[in-house]
Amino acid sequence: MAQASHGSVLDDLGARIASGELAPGTVLTLAALEDTYRVSRTVVREAVRVLEAMGMLASRRRVGVRVQDVSQWSALDTRLIGWQLAGPGRDRQLIVVTELRAAIEPVAARLSAQRAGDDERAEILRLATRLEDLGHAGRGDSEEYLAADIAFHDLILDSSGNLMLAAVKPAIAAVIAGRARLGLTPGVPHQEALHNHVQTAAAIACGDAEAAEHHTRLYVDAVLGEVRGR
């Protein structure tokens, strides 16, 4: 391997752990990692420190660093999500985070309908309309559609007024972006999905909490059906 930087060591080592190539229980030594990546001990330590903070590695004195069980990993870390989406467990990761969306987003939409400010309601409606326009134009796989989609979901979570719900924004955005990067977002989105985005926004705009939750559940369940069917 050509000489690596801290970032490339982190990405490669993290991806190898996330993919299962380096299974839980595997013991690594700093010296071996130096040789593998042809970098200094300082660079290796920096990468290991980040992976320790993510729960993926744990240092053991006079032993080295041990790959931790998956249950110890920081599951919502966007770097980990990216590594998992790039690996052989991609489909499972799409399912897992979409299940999280199904559990959280309908509740967030209900709360948004109750708590969002006037400017937030107007912006949610504008973004939903933009998504519909881009989708009808066959641009559902465009960067512009992706940006509007992430902004739409972020704003609903923010306007829920619940900081715990809003805390999952990066993870949800990472998977929405990951689906797009993997070519899984169609150029012409399903009409029903676009319709339910607009209906969700309309319900939030007029303060109809029940309708907001209902239409959000419809589009998230549709996405969940898609990823489970892959």
Side-chain angles (χ1 to χ4, degrees), residues 212-226:
E213 180 175 355
H214 171 71
H215 287 288
T216 301
R217 194 170 301 283
L218 286 178
Y219 69 65
V220 178
D221 282 352
V223 174
L224 185 56
E226 283 182 30

Side-chain angles (χ1 to χ4, degrees), residues 127-143:
L127 288 167
T129 301
R130 186 61 179 151
L131 289 173
E132 186 176 46
D133 291 344
L134 290 168
H136 288 163
R139 298 178 61 195
D141 54 357
S142 67
E143 287 294 325

Side-chain angles (χ1 to χ4, degrees), residues 101 131-146 149 175-194 197 219 222-223 226-227 230:
R101 293 183 63 189
L131 289 173
E132 186 176 46
D133 291 344
L134 290 168
H136 288 163
R139 298 178 61 195
D141 54 357
S142 67
E143 287 294 325
E144 190 174 0
Y145 185 96
L146 174 61
D149 197 20
V175 171
I176 292 173
R179 288 185 74 225
R181 305 285 187 257
L182 292 168
L184 302 179
T185 303
V188 180
H190 296 298
Q191 177 57 39
E192 193 66 17
L194 291 174
H197 276 72
Y219 69 65
V223 174
E226 283 182 30
V227 298
R230 281 185 49 77

